[in-house]
Amino acid sequence: MALLEGKTLLVTGVLTDGSIAFHVARLAQEQGAQVILTSFGRQLRLTQAIARRLPQPAPVVELDVTNADDLAALADRVREHADRLDGVVHSIGFAPQSVMGGNFLAGEWDDVATAVHVSAYSLKALAVAALPLLSRGSGLVGLTFDARYAWPVYDWMGVAKAAFESTARYLARDLGPQGVRVNLVSAGPIRTTAAKSIPGFETMEGRWSDRAPLGWDVTDPEPTARTVAALLSDWFPATTGEIVHVDGGVHAMGQ
Ligand SMILES: NC(=O)c1ccc[n+]([C@@H]2O[C@H](COP(=O)([O-])OP(=O)(O)OC[C@H]3O[C@@H](n4cnc5c(N)ncnc54)[C@H](O)[C@@H]3O)[C@@H](O)[C@H]2O)c1
């Protein structure tokens, strides 16, 4: 039996065919899942075009995670395509350029607030919006960049990721009694649109492959996508509040 046979998944964050979420959606379909995508605003048409490049074309429902109307309408919009969800992928991140790039001390609250709203609080917002469709055994999986450390140039996005990781633990606490698992994948640097929008991203990706015992390919989202798929499967039935590192092993090294 395929890993995700019979499951219906909501996958956010497909912007291009380089998006981590695109590869999650592709692998999920290859592993037997039905996939519904989300997108918003001017990106909607782009996501619809990219959705046609998946093994099976996937419907796209509108969701700006910071928009209360979209969140309130999400369950009904998904119900136009499926009567339940077995998993939700949060693959969303955004911070204004002013709060990344190595000028941490100049970060202003309005821009920091945007980063935290879109990149951290949104995990709770998405979980609550999807909850009416989730049943026991389902899983929510998000993507983080190891927030235990201060990285070059990541700055307030790193602070938002720390809030994101904490949000995942509180969600694991509060959704566990309903049988919903909440886990994160902490990925190494991958050259996506979001990554390339970080001023000086090269300084983060530069030494990664040298430091990784397994090596690391910044152009390959497949290992990350595979781990997301595995966490959505029935093979992590008692795991929640966890962060699985998919970084070639960098997180475990002293230098
Ligand atoms: N690329 C990396 O190096 C890397 C490493 C670790 C973790 N991550 C995380 O992976 C996730 C996916 O990013 P990616 O690298 O695939 O880049 P990406 O640019 O392809 O995806 C980011 C997505 O966030 C979506 N988004 C932004 N604001 C939104 C909003 N208000 N409502 C709904 N969606 C919104 C965008 O539409 C886009 O699809 C992010 O959480 C990112 O922080 C990326």
Side-chain angles (χ1 to χ4, degrees), residues 12-16 18-22 38-40 43 47 63-67 90-94 118-119 122 142-146 154 157 161 164 185-196 198 201 204 224:
T12 66
V14 173
L15 177 60
T16 70
S19 294
I20 295 169
F22 177 83
T38 74
S39 188
F40 75 109
Q43 299 181 359
T47 305
L63 175 68
D64 174 342
V65 271
T66 61
N67 182 310
H90 179 290
S91 191
I92 294 168
F94 174 77
V118 179
S119 311
S122 62
L143 278 306
T144 190
F145 190 76
D146 201 336
Y154 207 44
M157 190 66 191
K161 284 299 191 194
F164 181 68
V185 171
S186 183
I190 303 166
R191 263 182 225 152
T192 61
T193 307
K196 286 185 279 191
I198 303 170
F201 175 70
M204 289 176 50
T224 302

Side-chain angles (χ1 to χ4, degrees), residues 8 11 21 32 35 59 68 112 122-123 153 205 231 238:
T8 304
V11 179
V35 171
V112 171
S122 62
L123 185 65
V153 308
E205 64 169 35
L231 285 167

Side-chain angles (χ1 to χ4, degrees), residues 73-87:
L74 181 68
D76 285 338
R77 288 176 186 169
V78 170
R79 279 194 195 96
E80 289 172 21
H81 307 283
D83 55 8
R84 59 153 223 289
L85 289 173
D86 303 293

Side-chain angles (χ1 to χ4, degrees), residues 3-236:
L3 190 70
L4 298 170
E5 196 70 54
K7 294 198 184 293
T8 304
L9 306 175
L10 185 69
V11 179
T12 66
V14 173
L15 177 60
T16 70
D17 58 6
S19 294
I20 295 169
F22 177 83
H23 295 273
V24 172
R26 174 181 58 75
L27 273 175
Q29 287 186 343
E30 287 168 8
Q31 292 297 320
Q34 181 194 345
V35 171
I36 300 165
L37 304 179
T38 74
S39 188
F40 75 109
R42 282 179 297 160
Q43 299 181 359
L44 199 61
R45 279 177 180 279
L46 199 54
T47 305
Q48 283 164 339
I50 298 294
R52 291 194 280 274
R53 294 193 200 160
L54 288 168
Q56 292 118 42
V60 183
V61 302
E62 185 152 17
L63 175 68
D64 174 342
V65 271
T66 61
N67 182 310
D69 293 337
D70 280 355
L71 289 161
L74 181 68
D76 285 338
R77 288 176 186 169
V78 170
R79 279 194 195 96
E80 289 172 21
H81 307 283
D83 55 8
R84 59 153 223 289
L85 289 173
D86 303 293
V88 177
V89 178
H90 179 290
S91 191
I92 294 168
F94 174 77
Q97 299 250 322
S98 57
V99 297
M100 298 183 294
N103 207 358
F104 185 79
L105 297 181
E108 298 276 354
W109 169 241
D110 281 353
D111 291 341
V112 171
T114 298
V116 172
H117 192 183
V118 179
S119 311
Y121 179 81
S122 62
L123 185 65
K124 191 284 289 186
L126 177 63
V128 170
L131 201 55
L133 296 166
L134 294 172
S135 53
R136 294 195 80 78
S138 57
L140 176 61
V141 179
L143 278 306
T144 190
F145 190 76
D146 201 336
R148 293 172 301 172
Y149 304 108
W151 298 102
V153 308
Y154 207 44
D155 298 349
W156 289 99
M157 190 66 191
V159 176
K161 284 299 191 194
F164 181 68
E165 293 178 6
S166 181
T167 303
R169 287 187 285 271
Y170 279 97
L171 284 173
R173 181 194 71 181
D174 287 0
L175 300 182
Q178 297 171 60
V180 177
R181 297 169 296 118
V182 183
N183 293 294
L184 301 181
V185 171
S186 183
I190 303 166
R191 263 182 225 152
T192 61
T193 307
K196 286 185 279 191
S197 75
I198 303 170
F201 175 70
E202 326 72 64
T203 59
M204 289 176 50
E205 64 169 35
R207 280 163 298 148
W208 207 276
S209 61
D210 298 335
R211 294 179 58 214
L214 291 174
W216 183 253
D217 180 353
V218 295
T219 65
D220 186 9
E222 176 94 10
T224 302
R226 280 191 182 214
T227 307
V228 173
L231 285 167
L232 291 166
S233 79
D234 295 332
W235 288 88
F236 282 89

